[in-house]
Amino acid sequence: MPPIVHVRGLSKRFTVHKKAPGLRGSVRALFVRDKLVKDAVRGVSFEVGEGEIVGLVGANGAGKTTIVKMLAGIIHPTSGQARVLGHDPWKRHNDFRRQIALIMGQKAQLWWDLPAADCFLVLKEIYRIPADRYRRTLDYLADVLNIGDELNVQIRRLSLGERMKMELIAALLHTPKVVYLDEPTIGLDLSAQRAIRGFILEYRERHAPAMLLTSHYMEDIERLCERILIMREGEIVYDGRLDQVVRKHAGYKVLTIHLQEQVQGVCETPELAAVGEVQECNEELIRLHVPRREAATAAAHLLASYPVADLTLEEPEIGDIIERIMAAQKGAPA
Amino acid sequence: MSPRLFLHVLSVETRKLMSYRVEFWLNTAVGFLAQFGAIYFLWKAMFAESEHSIIGGYSFDEMLLYYVSAILLTKLVRGRERESALSQEIYEGSYTRYIIYPTSFFRYKYAQHLGALAPASVQVMVFGAAAAVAIGPRTLETISMTSVAMTMVIVAIANLLHFVMKAPVEGVAFWADNVWSLDVMLRFIIGILGGAMLPLDLYPTWAQELLVWLPFQYITYFPVRVLVGEVGGIDFAIGVAIALFWTAVFAGVVRIVWKRGDLQYTGVGI
Ligand SMILES: Nc1ncnc2c1ncn2[C@@H]1O[C@H](COP(=O)(O)OP(=O)(O)O)[C@@H](O)[C@H]1O
Ligand SMILES: [Mg+2]
């Protein structure tokens, strides 16, 4: 079976015309336009299959949203190819549009001044969903997301979490085969994040769509994706299973200690380097990456050796893991 | 876009506007009274100053009737522009949803636009009746069932014409940071050349003859004259044909602007 999303050498260059402020700038802009060129996406290739949730991660500005926009047909690529369900997304064929969904945490799609119930009815007509199927799907979706009376409240009056749930329902009413989720949990509290993650998994279970998910939260990626794409400056620098990444690159924890008093030359003591990789060190604070399995021993060792005021042991940030992979990519292959 | 969807969007929009009760009745009533008052006193002074009882073929009462009709019919032609501002969707990036959803942006927006007309018609009837009492029934004698029916036809066409005339200007939003000033300019031109500011009868003959062939007067002046029973069958048919011709022309312009705009659109704000 061919993959549902198939991308080859896809690139997007944005050209921005700089405009100097003020009237003089405006007049000048009529004659000479200073161009600013930005290669947001550079020759990426990847595939997403049926029932697969692929995580797209990378720093701000890495090009994640730009990829999603191209695959949803919102913007035209500068070069390269993408086939989604056998269509060129930017031709915006109705057959294509009836089978996809786009959910953006940063941008509402629903009509702000209508209650969700009305928005859904409009969508029912847009997607021509038969009445009984519409009823069943809506009941089911509202039930899983625990939505009740909020259906009759104007979208603009809902909390961010409630609004996001409505956006999800709206996007899935027509049971799309391809779902793009761009930062779906951004800004949500933990319980809303959890609800949405559970919901996405449940939807996958039932309908096995191809999903592409971008998120800043490691938790989202960990819970939802088996495979991730790591982007840096428009390029994909890692395409592989998530457990490989975590095993290879996040086999450590972050250990931070604050010292009770300044200790002269603490950073030069050989014990530190024996315990882990020193990330940051001064006379009051030490931060180390210690191997996951030896974290407890390392902590005990440091407690015994130094006048420790406070000690914390944390999971590494996804950003750090990404940083490490990119560093490895530049030097030797990961 | 299916007729069902069209009607659905239309009715949702109508219900939405009906739910803003205070704004709906109070603000529009105040606006209407202010406009009517300004015109009343302005023309009262003009007639007193000129010492004629007829200006440009209009008596004072006829002049009032002209303006009341112009204000009310133009309301039907324009609809609630704020509600369906196309440029707003582009700036806010909500234009994206019409790319994602399998539907036509323009048909959707036009359905919304028409949805705003149902409540506007109610207002027009209420204010129209009030104004008729104020002006006096004798002036209304020329308005007949036939003229009202003809007015409904031309207003429907004018509504579409106005929509497609405005759309290319709104589409400039794909390129420019602000279309507000262009919007105001277009509004002003339509006001002056369309007869909302002055009855076109007050213009020089050559200008009147020229304006017959341009789209503007079919927004206000022509519908008003149809309403007061001054346009015969043949002239009506010619007027309708000219208005339809311009509607087609502007629809073509809209297509071109949007085709190019779509290439520019990057969905800002996502
Ligand atoms: N419409 C646009 N015009 C110009 N530059 C853009 C536009 N959209 C995004 N960019 C630039 O492209 C790069 C990638 O952006 P984006 O895809 O939004 O990143 P991400 O979603 O990974 O944070 C950024 O440097 C951004 O500034
Ligand atoms: Mg983004």
Side-chain angles (χ1 to χ4, degrees):
Chain A
M1 229 197 99
I4 295 183
V5 177
H6 183 96
V7 178
R8 282 290 168 275
L10 199 63
S11 300
K12 178 68 190 181
R13 165 175 289 183
F14 287 112
T15 312
V16 188
H17 296 286
K18 258 200 307 194
K19 181 176 158 281
L23 183 62
R24 231 164 116 196
S26 304
V27 174
R28 202 179 111 81
L30 288 177
F31 304 101
V32 260
R33 300 224 278 174
D34 297 329
K35 273 201 218 163
L36 215 72
V37 172
K38 171 83 203 178
D39 287 304
V41 175
R42 313 168 196 231
V44 303
S45 303
F46 64 91
E47 286 160 8
V48 186
E50 197 180 288
E52 205 177 11
I53 306 180
V54 173
L56 194 52
V57 292
N60 268 330
K64 307 179 296 290
T65 300
T66 305
I67 287 186
V68 168
K69 282 182 185 169
M70 285 193 279
L71 296 183
I74 298 167
I75 57 178
H76 296 237
T78 310
S79 62
Q81 265 201 10
R83 306 285 288 173
V84 177
L85 295 159
H87 290 275
D88 268 352
W90 39 92
K91 296 223 170 108
R92 301 177 189 168
H93 199 284
N94 273 346
D95 272 351
F96 165 75
R97 299 198 288 175
R98 264 194 268 279
Q99 300 184 73
I100 66 152
L102 170 64
I103 295 147
M104 293 172 293
Q106 323 242 47
K107 186 78 212 162
Q109 298 218 60
L110 293 174
W111 295 269
W112 275 70
D113 39 16
L114 297 182
D118 275 341
C119 291
F120 297 158
L121 281 170
V122 171
L123 290 171
K124 167 180 177 276
E125 296 301 332
I126 287 182
Y127 290 104
R128 299 186 194 153
I129 308 169
D132 56 335
R133 210 183 84 202
Y134 168 78
R135 202 60 262 166
R136 253 185 296 127
T137 317
L138 179 57
D139 286 347
Y140 161 73
L141 294 175
D143 183 50
V144 176
L145 281 173
N146 201 9
I147 296 282
D149 295 342
E150 298 95 330
L151 280 175
N152 298 314
V153 178
Q154 266 188 343
I155 300 282
R156 68 162 92 241
R157 292 183 207 283
L158 295 175
S159 73
L160 183 62
E162 289 164 343
R163 200 204 82 204
M164 225 28 244
K165 289 178 181 177
M166 298 303 181
E167 294 276 346
L168 274 170
I169 294 179
L172 301 178
L173 273 175
H174 62 291
T175 49
K177 292 212 178 72
V178 177
V179 182
Y180 305 114
L181 298 139
D182 193 14
E183 312 268 2
T185 53
I186 197 156
L188 300 185
D189 62 38
L190 290 176
S191 81
Q193 284 186 27
R194 214 171 299 131
I196 284 174
R197 281 197 289 269
F199 177 71
I200 292 171
L201 286 176
E202 169 104 18
Y203 185 82
R204 196 248 309 253
E205 197 66 21
R206 284 195 151 209
H207 300 287
M211 297 206 214
L212 194 58
L213 167 88
T214 83
S215 181
H216 268 95
Y217 300 115
M218 183 57 179
E219 184 91 11
D220 282 351
I221 303 292
E222 272 180 340
R223 288 285 158 81
L224 299 173
C225 310
E226 280 109 48
R227 214 180 103 214
I228 61 168
L229 307 171
I230 299 180
M231 288 195 74
R232 192 186 59 156
E233 291 171 16
E235 289 177 276
I236 291 179
V237 294
Y238 178 91
D239 176 348
R241 294 177 55 92
L242 179 70
D243 52 12
Q244 300 278 353
V245 178
V246 176
R247 195 175 324 142
K248 268 196 194 151
H249 302 277
Y252 63 90
K253 286 197 157 195
V254 181
L255 200 164
T256 309
I257 55 180
H258 289 269
L259 299 175
Q260 271 165 5
E261 65 220 32
Q262 299 198 350
V263 180
Q264 292 296 322
V266 64
C267 299
E268 278 76 51
T269 44
E271 283 103 324
L272 275 187
V275 171
E277 218 176 283
V278 182
Q279 302 296 310
E280 199 182 336
C281 184
N282 56 49
E283 284 162 4
E284 289 162 8
L285 179 141
I286 304 170
R287 179 166 290 132
L288 300 157
H289 285 180
V290 296
R292 189 173 288 273
R293 243 167 287 152
E294 295 156 28
T297 346
H301 182 70
L302 292 177
L303 279 170
S305 317
Y306 303 100
V308 175
D310 181 40
L311 180 148
T312 56
L313 199 52
E314 293 162 313
E315 287 294 337
E317 305 266 323
I318 178 151
D320 292 342
I321 303 174
I322 292 167
E323 290 293 332
R324 288 173 80 82
I325 290 172
M326 291 190 302
Q329 202 73 18
K330 270 191 289 180
Chain B
M1 190 180 207
S2 71
R4 270 185 68 123
L5 172 58
F6 193 85
L7 288 176
H8 187 77
V9 172
L10 195 153
S11 80
V12 164
E13 188 69 13
T14 301
R15 267 187 292 133
K16 185 180 92 194
L17 292 184
M18 290 296 213
S19 68
Y20 301 147
R21 280 190 207 94
V22 175
E23 187 195 301
F24 182 65
W25 286 111
L26 197 65
N27 296 8
T28 34
V30 169
F32 180 70
L33 272 179
Q35 267 178 304
F36 184 73
I39 279 150
Y40 181 89
F41 290 111
L42 180 74
W43 282 100
K44 200 162 176 75
M46 299 274 266
F47 273 90
E49 187 77 9
S50 78
E51 294 173 355
H52 293 292
S53 59
I54 302 283
I55 295 182
Y58 291 84
S59 70
F60 179 62
D61 284 350
E62 284 166 347
M63 194 60 94
L64 287 187
L65 177 64
Y66 178 88
Y67 277 103
V68 168
S69 313
I71 292 167
L72 295 179
L73 291 185
T74 306
K75 194 172 168 63
L76 290 181
V77 169
R78 284 213 178 112
R80 276 172 58 108
E81 289 167 289
R82 189 161 57 82
E83 229 56 50
S84 42
L86 312 181
S87 53
Q88 205 64 22
E89 303 256 17
I90 297 167
Y91 286 136
E92 286 170 6
S94 50
Y95 177 64
T96 300
R97 62 174 161 240
Y98 305 96
I99 296 176
I100 301 294
Y101 300 153
T103 186
S104 145
F105 175 65
F106 280 102
R107 285 186 213 141
Y108 193 97
K109 294 311 280 183
Y110 196 61
Q112 234 183 359
H113 177 73
L114 289 187
L117 275 191
S121 324
V122 176
Q123 291 175 325
V124 164
M125 277 192 272
V126 172
F127 297 145
V133 173
I135 302 172
R138 218 163 40 79
T139 323
L140 308 179
E141 274 163 13
T142 53
I143 300 178
S144 63
M145 288 297 265
T146 325
S147 80
V148 170
M150 283 158 79
T151 306
M152 279 156 80
V153 173
I154 187 66
V155 162
I157 295 168
N159 184 284
L160 186 56
L161 171 62
H162 186 256
F163 188 81
V164 292
M165 251 167 113
K166 242 188 92 152
V169 170
E170 300 268 330
V172 172
F174 283 118
W175 294 271
D177 293 342
N178 190 333
V179 294
W180 185 76
S181 44
L182 283 179
D183 248 3
V184 171
M185 228 185 295
L186 180 69
R187 215 177 154 94
F188 188 70
I189 292 171
I190 294 177
I192 296 246
L193 302 183
M197 300 220 185
L198 281 177
L200 300 183
D201 313 77
L202 301 182
Y203 291 4
T205 319
W206 64 265
Q208 291 185 41
E209 278 165 7
L210 176 67
L211 286 173
V212 169
W213 300 103
L214 298 182
F216 310 104
Q217 67 161 282
Y218 299 95
I219 302 297
T220 303
Y221 178 71
F222 189 75
V224 171
R225 284 185 59 244
V226 170
L227 178 69
V228 298
E230 279 175 29
V231 179
I234 303 280
D235 286 340
F236 180 71
I238 293 174
V240 165
I242 296 174
L244 284 177
F245 166 77
W246 281 111
T247 306
V249 169
F250 281 106
V253 176
V254 170
R255 255 189 123 76
I256 295 166
V257 170
W258 244 261
K259 216 176 164 121
R260 314 192 103 220
D262 265 342
L263 292 174
Q264 289 284 319
Y265 184 71
T266 58
V268 248
I270 304 181

